Amino acid sequence: MELDIPTFKKIEAVGWTVTLCILVFFFGHVFVFLGICFLVRKLYMWYKTRRLGLIDPLGKAVVVTGCDSGFGLGLAKHLHAVGFTVFATCLNLDSEGAKSLQKLASDRLKVVHLDITNDDSVGRCQRRVKEECENTGLWGLVNNAGLNVMGDLELTTMEQYLTTGNINLYGMVRMCKAFLPLIRQAKGRIVNVTSAKGLLAIPSCAAYTVAKFGGEAFSEILYQEMSQFGVTVSIIEPCNYGGATGCLNEAGLKRIKANFDEMWREASDDVKEFYGPAHLAQQMEDLKQAAATAAPTIDPVIDAFEDALRNQCPKFRYLIPGSNSYFDWSHILTCLMPFLPQSLFNKLRAYFVPYAIYK
């Protein structure tokens, strides 16, 4: 028996309707189940943390890199205040941050010179820490030091790519390789600072974003390899904190302008003709305006650092929203990115986050 076309279309429509209903029913139950599992896990972690309490910091030492300013400076002071012994490493011992730490004049706060791009400097720092922690090991290593370099992929010089990678990625690698034996001895914590840019690629920030993606990959491998030895690894991923850390203050903007001038000097005639001198000038103006949207304080990031070092069950990732308004679109887009088609995501990103303004 042959079906006429109208009857066939009716059967087809009924079939698709039934299929759709089954899918909605199935996935609806799946999402409800996953939601319940997520809630149960959150409640369990909250109960376990409350029951076990925070780790006592007394007698535990932490190395923090990049304490000249920003997160590192704030964290060194905070960890010292709660009871940790802190090795606050600074690139410049004459910096305002280093001087403010030295003024605390505490036996538990040691200001140490460190250049994380130099093997000899890292070795000297490691030996200094080992002398004081040889019996107990090192509880925490916070790889915070970083350099935020703005610029289009094509305009950024190779020297800027290499310098940014050496500080933000290979400095982290260098420190972990040097201090892992002491961390393993204490079954301690490694806390690596990347950025929302380690998850969310943003235009006009090529060198920094590439390095931060690398930091994410390195941290994941480190987590997998070290968990068998009782070492905990966490990643701190700040969003819009460029103004609060000093990346986009007056001195930071001067440094970015100097980088832009270097890009223009090194660019080929073809690239200069294509972009035009007004391109980088407009980017500078955009950054000045965008700096006003950043979070006014670094306190949420400092709280995440402390949780990673003291919580009995720390997170692997701490993605921390930061803005001077109710919404941090960089944080929202980072959370939505895995679930959106690339074309739609790119349009949303271009509309809500047109500037590379994160830590």
Side-chain angles (χ1 to χ4, degrees):
M1 177 181 178
E2 293 186 2
L3 298 175
D4 54 29
I5 293 178
T7 303
F8 179 79
K9 286 185 175 181
K10 289 180 181 178
I11 295 174
E12 185 180 35
V14 171
W16 277 112
T17 301
V18 172
T19 302
L20 182 61
C21 290
I22 293 174
L23 289 174
V24 169
F25 177 82
F26 174 75
F27 284 110
H29 280 68
V30 169
F31 287 134
V32 169
F33 174 74
L34 292 176
I36 292 173
C37 290
F38 176 80
L39 181 60
V40 168
R41 183 180 182 278
K42 282 288 186 182
L43 291 172
Y44 171 72
M45 297 301 287
W46 173 82
Y47 169 75
K48 188 174 182 181
T49 300
R50 185 175 179 181
R51 182 169 177 266
L52 295 175
L54 295 176
I55 290 170
D56 185 359
L58 295 180
K60 291 182 171 59
V62 179
V63 172
V64 183
T65 67
C67 295
D68 298 82
S69 61
F71 295 144
L73 177 58
L75 179 62
K77 291 180 177 179
H78 180 78
L79 293 180
H80 171 260
V82 299
F84 282 103
T85 297
V86 181
F87 292 89
T89 70
C90 298
L91 179 61
N92 180 9
L93 293 181
D94 292 325
S95 66
E96 292 301 318
K99 290 178 180 178
S100 69
L101 292 171
Q102 290 166 347
K103 286 180 181 178
L104 294 176
S106 169
D107 292 337
R108 289 190 295 101
L109 181 58
K110 307 159 195 305
V111 183
V112 182
H113 173 262
L114 174 64
D115 178 357
I116 61 171
T117 69
N118 184 282
D119 290 333
D120 291 336
S121 180
V122 171
R124 286 192 296 271
C125 179
Q126 190 269 352
R127 289 191 292 273
R128 166 78 185 277
V129 174
K130 186 175 181 179
E131 287 176 2
E132 301 196 33
C133 301
E134 191 166 11
N135 294 327
T136 61
L138 180 65
W139 174 254
L141 170 62
V142 179
N143 287 304
N144 162 74
L147 177 67
N148 194 354
V149 175
M150 308 291 186
D152 295 282
L153 184 151
E154 190 175 12
L155 284 169
T156 302
T157 69
M158 283 307 304
E159 184 65 27
Q160 289 169 340
Y161 275 109
L162 294 172
T163 299
T164 307
N166 199 16
I167 294 172
N168 293 290
L169 174 56
Y170 296 112
M172 179 189 298
V173 175
R174 194 174 282 110
M175 289 296 291
C176 285
K177 285 174 67 65
F179 285 91
L180 267 173
L182 286 172
I183 292 287
R184 274 200 302 268
Q185 180 183 344
K187 294 186 177 180
R189 309 282 173 91
I190 296 177
V191 183
N192 291 334
V193 180
T194 60
S195 168
K197 289 178 186 174
L199 302 171
L200 179 65
I202 295 293
S204 302
C205 197
Y208 186 78
T209 302
V210 168
K212 290 302 183 181
F213 265 73
E216 289 278 330
F218 174 75
S219 299
E220 290 203 29
I221 295 169
L222 185 68
Y223 171 83
Q224 294 172 31
E225 293 187 358
M226 289 298 112
S227 60
Q228 61 184 312
F229 305 118
V231 174
T232 301
V233 178
S234 295
I235 307 176
I236 303 294
E237 300 161 334
C239 291
N240 190 355
Y241 286 88
T245 61
C247 290
L248 294 179
N249 61 12
E250 184 177 354
L253 289 172
K254 285 183 179 179
R255 180 181 56 78
I256 293 171
K257 177 63 166 59
N259 286 338
F260 282 177
D261 291 342
E262 181 182 353
M263 292 176 192
W264 189 253
R265 287 194 302 270
E266 296 290 329
S268 67
D269 292 339
D270 289 342
V271 171
K272 288 180 179 178
E273 182 179 357
F274 179 80
Y275 285 94
H279 176 72
L280 292 177
Q282 184 60 53
Q283 284 197 341
M284 278 302 305
E285 291 303 313
D286 292 342
L287 284 168
K288 291 176 183 178
Q289 296 177 21
T293 69
T297 174
I298 64 173
D299 289 348
V301 183
I302 299 301
D303 291 342
F305 276 122
E306 183 179 1
D307 192 77
L309 290 167
R310 297 190 64 193
N311 197 319
Q312 299 281 3
C313 307
K315 300 177 184 177
F316 174 58
R317 276 196 170 88
Y318 291 83
L319 180 64
I320 310 161
S323 175
N324 62 0
S325 66
Y326 292 108
F327 300 103
D328 180 354
W329 289 107
S330 60
H331 175 261
I332 294 172
L333 288 172
T334 302
C335 294
L336 289 176
M337 180 179 58
F339 308 103
L340 295 178
Q342 191 67 41
S343 57
L344 174 59
F345 173 78
N346 285 341
K347 292 178 181 178
L348 290 173
R349 195 276 315 153
Y351 182 80
F352 287 111
V353 190
Y355 312 112
I357 56 176
Y358 323 141
K359 163 65 176 75

